[in-house]
């Protein structure tokens, strides 16, 4: 069998570094292609060449930008599998830095695909990171149990602190979201991620490379940048608590999300990359369990032994949805993949890792200020 060689764009990041570990364990040669964005890597412990110390020593490293077609094309030498993770990641930030986000996400994906479409490489299979954010609101039922398409919540209701989703004056009941739910991206980041998914699936099909888009829910776990105020809520809350400050919670904190361990996300990518089936499709990757944002804040405070309650802001952040958690039946049925880590064990591990880090700079207030100045919080 030919040497299996996976190129992971964004492979020095949170998910990419775990994926590198999993693919190395599965016998792949792994090359990480990453431009080491300062916002992500600024405060991470680095080696002499600027790579994060957590990166697997067996991973080959190329410092490069996917916006640079020539550098990306050169990195494809010998590569049989491609996972595209490189992106700017932050829902709130995407609503102010619209050009930067669209360049580094949509245009960057276009660069990757144009290189692939021109040929002259050995890529046989690829996957791209999509996001739950493309759904907008999750799936809901009416009181009578009928499916309901939830519209974005009207501003007047949000200004009155009425958070739940309604249809014709009736509060809807959230259920696990399936891939069939119509997409309603509500932020530039989400629009960019929908672009990623559709661009990869359409070009992948056209050039005959099986392609999977994984709609990742909220990934958490070791190595998530603690000082980046724009990424995962678990890392942001942990960072606040370590600085003896209350986690800042939008709305009333009862919004439901799906927190999936990063190692489960990495294993989902590994599963679809090592499958032999010819698939061009999108799949949810979540834990399958719904957890409120308040539960995350309280759980982290308890595990970090901090007697600090979340600061519930009672404000709406533009682009946020009320409830969205995953139905994970489709990836189980198609690839036999199921997440293996549970929430309590995963959070305990996260806290153990966070506690071992030097106390990170807390940028949550700065990022809230930026959002308020640009009227992205109401
Ligand atoms: N973390 C989550 O919960 C989550 C949820 C849904 C989707 N995703 C998606 O998964 C992917 C990985 O997310 P993550 O949490 O690991 O983010 P991350 O910020 O930790 O990693 C992204 C990596 O990409 C690199 N990068 C960014 N732009 C680049 C460019 N132009 N060229 C080369 N490298 C570049 C960054 O330096 C960073 O190392 C992203 O596409 C993100 O949109 C993540």
């Amino acid at each position: 069998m030919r040497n299996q060689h996976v190129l992971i764009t964004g492979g020095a990041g949170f998910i990419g570094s775990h994926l590198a570990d999993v693919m190395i364990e599965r016998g792949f040669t792994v090359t990480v292609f990453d431009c080491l964005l300062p916002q992500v890597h600024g405060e991470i412990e680095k080696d002499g060449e600027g790579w994060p110390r957590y990166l697997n020593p067996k991973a080959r490293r190329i410092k490069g930008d996917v916006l640079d077609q020539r550098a990306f094309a050169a990195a494809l030498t010998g590569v049989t599998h491609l996972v595209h993770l490189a992106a700017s990641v932050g829902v709130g930030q995407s609503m102010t830095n619209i050009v930067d986000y669209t360049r580094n996400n949509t245009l960057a994906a276009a660069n990757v695909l144009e290189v692939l479409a021109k040929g002259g490489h050995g890529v046989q299979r690829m996957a791209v990171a999509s996001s739950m954010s493309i759904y907008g609101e999750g799936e809901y039922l009416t009181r009578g149990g009928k499916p309901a398409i939830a519209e974005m919540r009207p501003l007047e209701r949000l200004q009155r602190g009425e958070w739940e989703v309604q249809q014709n004056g009736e509060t809807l009941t959230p259920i696990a979201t399936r891939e069939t739910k119509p997409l309603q991206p509500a932020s530039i980041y989400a629009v960019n991620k929908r672009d990623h998914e559709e661009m990869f699936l359409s070009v992948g099909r056209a050039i005959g490379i099986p392609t999977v888009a994984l709609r990742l829910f909220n990934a958490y776990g070791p190595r998530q940048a603690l000082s980046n105020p724009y990424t995962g809520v678990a890392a942001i809350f942990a960072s606040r608590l370590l600085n003896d400050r209350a986690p800042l919670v939008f709305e009333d904190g009862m919004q439901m999300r799906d927190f999936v361990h990063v190692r489960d996300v990495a294993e989902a990518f590994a599963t679809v990359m090592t499958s032999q089936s010819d698939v061009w499709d999108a799949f949810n990757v979540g834990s399958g369990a719904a957890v409120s944002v308040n539960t995350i804040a309280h759980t982290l405070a308890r595990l970090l032994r901090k007697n600090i309650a979340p600061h519930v802001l009672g404000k709406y952040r533009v682009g946020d949805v009320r409830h969205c958690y995953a139905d994970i039946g489709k990836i189980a049925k198609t690839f036999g993949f199921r997440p293996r880590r549970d929430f309590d064990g995963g959070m305990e591990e996260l806290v153990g890792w966070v506690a071992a880090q030097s106390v990170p700079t807390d940028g949550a207030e700065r990022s809230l200020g930026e959002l308020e100045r640009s009227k992205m919080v109401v």
Side-chain angles (χ1 to χ4, degrees):
M1 198 174 60
R2 226 175 115 198
N3 179 36
Q4 311 239 72
H5 182 169
V6 62
L7 182 77
I8 308 173
T9 72
F14 169 49
I15 294 172
S17 68
H18 285 276
L19 178 59
D21 291 344
V22 173
M23 296 309 275
I24 287 165
E25 283 160 26
R26 297 197 182 186
F28 275 69
T29 300
V30 172
T31 299
V32 161
F33 185 92
D34 200 299
C35 69
L36 303 173
L37 278 187
Q39 179 169 297
V40 181
H41 295 277
E43 290 190 19
I44 288 174
E45 226 190 300
K46 291 182 265 302
D47 67 15
E49 292 172 357
W51 292 93
R53 280 208 189 280
Y54 58 60
L55 203 55
N56 194 306
K58 290 192 182 139
R60 298 174 43 192
R61 296 122 198 256
I62 300 174
K63 183 168 180 199
D65 193 319
V66 286
L67 284 162
D68 176 350
Q69 280 202 15
R70 206 181 290 176
F72 176 69
L76 284 179
T77 308
V79 166
T80 53
H81 294 66
L82 173 69
V83 181
H84 180 53
L85 302 179
S88 292
V89 184
V91 171
Q93 194 183 32
S94 77
M95 300 302 276
T96 50
N97 302 12
I98 297 171
V99 173
D100 280 352
Y101 265 70
T102 302
R103 184 187 300 116
N104 203 43
N105 291 341
T106 303
L107 189 60
N111 268 280
V112 167
L113 292 169
E114 193 162 292
V115 169
L116 293 172
K118 283 181 181 156
H121 56 80
V123 176
Q124 300 158 8
R125 203 169 180 85
M126 57 185 183
V128 64
S130 180
S131 160
M132 51 84 80
S133 63
I134 69 175
Y135 288 121
E137 278 297 343
E139 231 175 305
Y140 289 82
L141 297 179
T142 63
R143 212 172 293 147
K146 292 213 177 74
I149 298 294
E151 297 299 334
M152 289 305 289
R153 295 167 290 169
L155 214 50
E156 315 81 72
R157 287 195 54 233
L158 295 164
Q159 279 162 341
R160 291 198 298 269
E162 294 171 18
W163 310 120
E164 292 302 337
V165 174
Q166 290 192 345
Q167 194 177 60
N168 306 326
E170 180 199 323
T171 298
L172 300 175
T173 307
I175 57 166
T177 300
R178 291 163 293 187
E179 290 84 349
T180 46
K181 190 212 162 254
L183 305 181
Q184 298 165 296
S187 67
I188 292 296
Y189 171 73
V191 170
N192 294 161
K193 284 279 126 182
R194 187 188 61 188
D195 288 348
H196 263 93
E197 181 174 317
E198 292 178 352
M199 290 162 77
F200 265 76
L201 292 174
S202 68
V203 176
R205 192 182 283 280
I207 61 179
I209 300 178
T211 305
V212 169
L214 295 183
R215 295 179 179 166
L216 311 180
F217 281 63
N218 294 75
Y220 72 90
R223 304 179 190 164
Q224 192 155 29
L226 292 175
S227 53
N228 181 353
Y230 306 104
T231 56
V233 72
I236 294 169
F237 285 2
S239 161
R240 291 282 295 173
L241 288 163
L242 276 176
N243 283 285
D244 289 320
R245 297 200 182 117
L248 302 178
V249 169
F250 289 99
E251 305 185 18
D252 61 354
M254 296 308 287
Q255 54 275 44
M256 302 288 235
R257 297 289 183 268
D258 184 322
F259 292 90
V260 56
H261 194 282
V262 64
R263 181 83 188 185
D264 282 325
V265 172
E267 286 170 5
F269 273 108
T271 302
V272 301
M273 289 311 271
T274 51
S275 152
Q276 299 300 315
S277 53
D278 285 351
V279 181
W280 287 269
D281 207 353
F283 299 85
N284 287 340
V285 175
S287 67
V291 176
S292 76
V293 170
N294 278 341
T295 300
I296 292 283
H298 286 296
T299 305
L300 287 170
R302 178 170 48 78
L303 293 170
L304 284 164
R305 297 201 171 75
K306 301 273 183 181
N307 188 16
I308 304 176
H311 176 32
V312 178
L313 295 166
K315 288 181 182 169
Y316 165 69
R317 182 172 55 178
V318 173
D320 275 354
V321 298
R322 183 60 180 165
H323 304 294
C324 190
Y325 49 95
D327 182 308
I328 50 175
K330 184 173 169 187
I331 194 168
K333 192 157 170 241
T334 309
F335 294 104
F337 174 79
R338 279 172 219 288
R340 293 192 295 159
R341 281 106 192 143
D342 70 10
F343 177 74
D344 286 346
M347 283 290 147
E348 216 159 307
E349 183 204 358
L350 175 73
V351 158
W353 174 78
V354 165
Q357 310 305 300
S358 46
V359 178
T361 312
D362 165 28
E365 250 129 28
R366 172 167 50 86
S367 108
L368 180 62
E370 281 171 22
L371 289 172
E372 280 177 330
R373 273 190 298 284
S374 37
K375 310 254 184 304
M376 290 296 156
V377 174
V378 287

